[in-house]
Amino acid sequence: MTAADSMRERASGISRRLLTGDRLFRTGALGITALVLFIFVAFPIAAILREGLVLADGTWGLGNFIDYFRDPRFLTITGRSLLIAVSATVITVVLAYGFAYALVRTQIPLKNLWRFTALLPVFAPSLVQALGVQFLLGRNGLVSNLLGIRLDIYGFWGILISDIVYAFPHAVLIMVTALSVTDGRLYEAGRMLGASEFRLFRTITLPASRYGVMSAAFVVFTIVITDFGNAMVIGGDYSVLATEIYNQVSGQANFRLGAVIGIILLIPAALAMFVERLVARRNTALVNERSSPLVLRKSVPRDICALVYAVLVCALILLIVGIVVLASFVKLWPYDVSLTLKHYVTDVQNGYAPLWTSLWMSLIAAVLGTALVVLNAYMIEKISNPFTRVLYFLSVLPAAVPGMVLGLGYIMAFNDPANPIYWLYGTVWFLALNTIFHYHAQAFLIATTNIKQISSTFDEASAMLGATFLRTMARIALPLLLPSLLTIGLFLFMRAMVTLSAVIFLVSPRNTVAAVSVLLLDDSGKASQAAAFSVVIMAVVLAASAGFNLLLGIPLARRHAGASP
Amino acid sequence: MDISLRAVTKTFGQVVAVDSVELDVPASTLICFLGPSGCGKTTLLRLIAGLETADSGSLLFRGKSLAGVPERERNFGMVFQSYSLFPNLTVEENVAYGPRCRRWPAADIDARVRELLAMVDVENQRSKYPHMLSGGQQQRVALARALAPKPHVLLLDEPLSALDAKVRRTLRSEIRRLQQSLGITSIMVTHDQEEALTMADQIVVMNEGRIVQEGPPAEIYSRPATPFVAGFVGSMNFLDVAIIGENRFNFVGHELTIDRSGIRTPLRGKAVIAIRPEAVEIARPAEKDRRRKSGNVLDAQVDWIEFLGGKCLLTLAPLSCPSQKISAEVPARTVHDLKLSVGSRISLILPPDAFNVYPA
Ligand SMILES: Nc1ncnc2c1ncn2[C@@H]1O[C@H](COP(=O)(O)OP(=O)(O)OP(=O)(O)O)[C@@H](O)[C@H]1O
Ligand SMILES: [Mg+2]
């Protein structure tokens, strides 16, 4: 300790040892953040880029892509993917806009029920929608059976319908937010000027929600073009990009072609993420502290229309999800509808073991993932320099990386005995880590938003009082972040329970997950057992989310309850 | 000197928030930074706190440089405009936060918390959470929290601006009394001139990142160094005049003389003279001729009367130049006694010792 140091210590009353320890903590924590992001995000993506860009003779170039686009078969596949994605985007956005409008801007009864129903598809793996469509409109579907006509749903129409149902809740969530953020004074001013309700909609509501629409459109587009599960179940011979990667890699071990398609898939997703972020930045200043909330007016015709629409949409969703539940309980869908539990006795290899693996994996993802994500968000938010800006980019990058591509990147990066973390490969922990970073961007943005909402003056106040970085984090920031920690945990848990696209490449016969079992069951023609397995997954996810909500209620209630600590 | 600033400059991109500021803060005094919005008061305070780093210049605390000393090691207490009490900690825990960071023995912390809560008069709120307190109580707790670790300096950024007028007035005198009894060197930022005039030992008036004038409140008020200070602190009549001799001016055809120590004007050219509305006197017509000998009397017409309670604000238009309005603040009694109404003719007297003169 130098003389100047000891003088300072006496002046501030804070011990040197504490301050040195704090500096070590900061460096160490930032080091962990950097390490995990480089290992689990940068490295796999670099691996896939390398695989795609390195030619057979070892030089770098675009040769692999030129070969790809010379092959008419791949051109067709790319065209199909684009066609499905664009059609699904247009239809979903229009449907979701109306639904969100009914939820936010009308006075229909039972709004929570409609909202919950619309969100149901989120609780299921992205192949349950296709299962439902198959049970309804497929070869042995309800409609074919009742009407005696044979619909050909396998292919474009099947994928389109399932993907619309799959993406619908995501679009609704975004649009509900967009329509909720508004300034009631604009409507009052409009009415005072004599505008009709339709004119108000056209001149105020629609322009104010256009960023929401754009952002929903990009999200839906990405979800659909990268969706693997539904296309696998109902696509038949109609190959799209996502299924083509799987077939190339799993079926023919053609990693190079897999990487090329993966990079092609990266482009629209990266573009979508970029535009989405741009839009999000522009969307902020719509309201300020002087805005007044919108007071809804009574309008019976409007509410009747909205209610009819909401009921119709919910009925369709319930039909598709419900038919899966129903089919899982009957002997031979749709011919013999006597009730049975026999489909719940799964005769896939390992039985229900994958469900337990999934649960265990999801718990790890929730706990470890929340810790990592919040640490990353906190360090990157609080320490601002060019290096942390790189880390920020890596943190949000997974949003632009389709699950299939990330999974493939993980194989290329880690499935190598020379790799220092090869010992993790194939374990439940590895699957959990993959899932955490697959959904890192979304969880990270929730955390960052919440950290930003905690006024920076708390940090400043704490520092002025002499607190170390660690103390501020532990005593002030984390307690204030507690509710969002639980939200992030739940988000990661739910995603991990239903995830399919990234982990499909990483499961081993010993460690496989629930969603993969559903796919295998359906693939081997046991659709009813696939349905039963899906029902079990949905039940677990719903129960977990209910439990988490209960947990979430406790700390909030305690903080607002009163003085007695 | 407790705190000294030498040529301190801070820019944010193109904006020069603090422009080569020189300042000395003597021990145990309360200094107010006063200035319009965006003039750099907060930035200057945050530089002293260590929450911002200066681009150039140096900051000294008792003669030693503060360069490289982070905020947590300066041991300066700070009270924020928005209170910033930690919402997850009780009042007691908030106040104990600083001492805990310094690892004081538990008994000392306890005693200190008690002492401070008593000092700011919120003892009975000790186990409440901040959101259960009124704004005034929250600000008292914030004050106690800042003082708890026995800081060398207390920094306050518009501590009263979020409170209503009545609470503001009581807290104003409480903070001042506390500051004096503890003898703690304090710097307060405000854009409320009344607050600065009533609380400060020294006022530092700022504009566009620079210090325009510093001095005790009475001097700032009666001897504003520039028209900016004159207009910002209190209200002021500005008259455009031509110089016709030593301390003699022509104002719209009237001769005005100035008789004030320390004021010397050039012998010709133009100038602006300033006089506060409350210094302007109203003459009854009978008095007129007697006072006329002393000069500085103008005939005017009452243009508007604003009733302010005990006083009235008159807007007067000199007959020789009705567009050059002059405000006068007079007791309501005078208006009543003279039976003034809009359109009344009066004589207004500009006492020779009430002027300030600025170059045009
Ligand atoms: N973090 C920052 N980034 C960019 N510009 C800033 C920042 N902080 C302050 N400024 C700019 O510096 C100037 C001085 O700001 P400052 O907050 O010090 O003003 P102030 O005198 O405290 O005003 P007010 O009375 O409104 O609080 C302003 O032009 C402001 O826009
Ligand atoms: Mg300020």
Side-chain angles (χ1 to χ4, degrees), chain A residues 185-522:
Chain A
R185 293 176 306 171
L186 289 177
Y187 289 86
E188 284 166 9
R191 288 205 184 92
M192 294 301 292
L193 293 169
S196 67
E197 290 300 313
F198 177 70
R199 181 178 283 274
L200 290 178
F201 176 79
R202 203 165 48 83
T203 55
I204 303 176
T205 312
L206 211 51
S209 53
R210 69 182 182 279
Y211 291 128
V213 170
M214 278 168 71
S215 131
F218 281 108
V219 166
V220 171
F221 184 87
T222 313
I223 287 178
V224 172
I225 203 164
T226 61
D227 174 51
F228 163 73
N230 286 318
M232 205 66 191
V233 168
I234 208 158
D237 298 330
Y238 193 87
S239 232
V240 291
L241 286 174
T243 48
E244 186 63 17
I245 296 193
Y246 181 70
N247 291 333
Q248 289 296 338
V249 171
S250 268
Q252 305 165 31
N254 191 344
F255 285 92
R256 177 139 304 152
L257 197 53
V260 167
I261 305 177
I263 294 170
I264 292 171
L265 268 184
L266 266 176
I267 296 166
L271 213 64
M273 179 187 96
F274 180 71
V275 175
E276 219 257 328
R277 309 241 46 208
L278 215 66
V279 164
R281 211 165 301 150
R282 299 261 299 274
N283 200 9
T284 43
L286 272 179
V287 284
N288 55 38
E289 65 281 1
R290 284 188 303 279
S291 299
S292 64
L294 178 66
V295 179
L296 292 175
R297 295 216 155 171
K298 233 185 160 53
S299 162
V300 177
R302 176 198 69 197
D303 289 355
I304 290 176
C305 290
L307 188 62
V308 169
Y309 180 69
V311 169
L312 266 178
V313 169
C314 286
L316 275 174
I317 291 171
L318 268 184
L319 186 63
I320 288 176
V321 177
I323 211 163
V324 175
V325 179
L326 194 62
S328 78
F329 286 113
V330 303
K331 274 218 179 87
L332 185 59
W333 181 265
Y335 308 109
D336 179 357
V337 293
S338 47
L339 293 179
T340 174
L341 283 175
K342 73 170 183 181
H343 303 304
Y344 284 81
V345 181
T346 296
D347 54 9
V348 73
Q349 185 197 6
N350 293 338
Y352 277 110
L355 185 70
W356 301 117
T357 312
S358 266
L359 254 178
W360 178 221
M361 192 269 267
S362 305
L363 280 176
I364 298 173
V367 175
L368 180 67
T370 307
L372 280 178
V373 162
V374 172
L375 178 77
N376 294 351
Y378 194 79
M379 299 310 293
I380 291 169
E381 186 61 31
K382 295 299 172 196
I383 302 176
S384 172
N385 59 36
F387 181 59
T388 55
R389 275 191 282 284
V390 172
L391 296 183
Y392 182 91
F393 173 74
L394 288 180
S395 293
V396 296
L397 184 59
V401 182
M404 313 284 318
V405 182
L406 193 70
L408 195 56
Y410 270 51
I411 302 185
M412 291 167 180
F414 303 116
N415 189 11
D416 171 6
N419 191 292
I421 61 163
Y422 180 69
W423 52 273
L424 262 178
Y425 194 84
T427 63
V428 179
W429 291 86
F430 189 72
L431 296 180
L433 280 164
N434 172 263
T435 306
I436 292 169
F437 288 96
H438 183 180
Y439 297 105
H440 189 275
Q442 292 85 345
F444 177 84
L445 290 176
I446 300 175
T448 303
T449 311
N450 282 293
I451 290 170
K452 278 199 167 95
Q453 276 166 356
I454 299 178
S455 164
S456 66
T457 55
F458 289 138
D459 285 346
E460 294 182 346
S462 184
M464 287 305 292
L465 289 165
T468 54
F469 186 80
L470 176 60
R471 191 186 191 90
T472 306
M473 183 168 161
R475 291 286 289 155
I476 308 298
L478 284 182
L480 294 179
L481 281 173
L482 193 59
S484 66
L485 294 190
L486 294 178
T487 311
I488 293 168
L490 176 61
F491 167 77
L492 287 171
F493 180 88
M494 284 172 42
R495 292 284 98 200
M497 277 304 292
V498 301
T499 191
L500 176 66
S501 58
V503 292
I504 184 96
F505 285 123
L506 306 174
V507 293
S508 58
R510 208 157 41 79
N511 275 320
T512 174
V513 295
V516 175
S517 294
V518 179
L519 187 67
L520 292 179
L521 282 169
D522 180 74

Side-chain angles (χ1 to χ4, degrees), chain A residues 94-126:
Chain A
V94 171
L95 289 177
Y97 194 96
F99 196 80
Y101 192 90
L103 284 181
V104 178
R105 298 293 182 88
T106 71
Q107 292 171 310
I108 55 172
L110 300 176
K111 280 183 182 171
N112 279 335
L113 179 65
W114 311 132
R115 187 193 300 256
F116 176 77
T117 311
L119 295 186
L120 265 185
V122 170
F123 297 106
S126 82

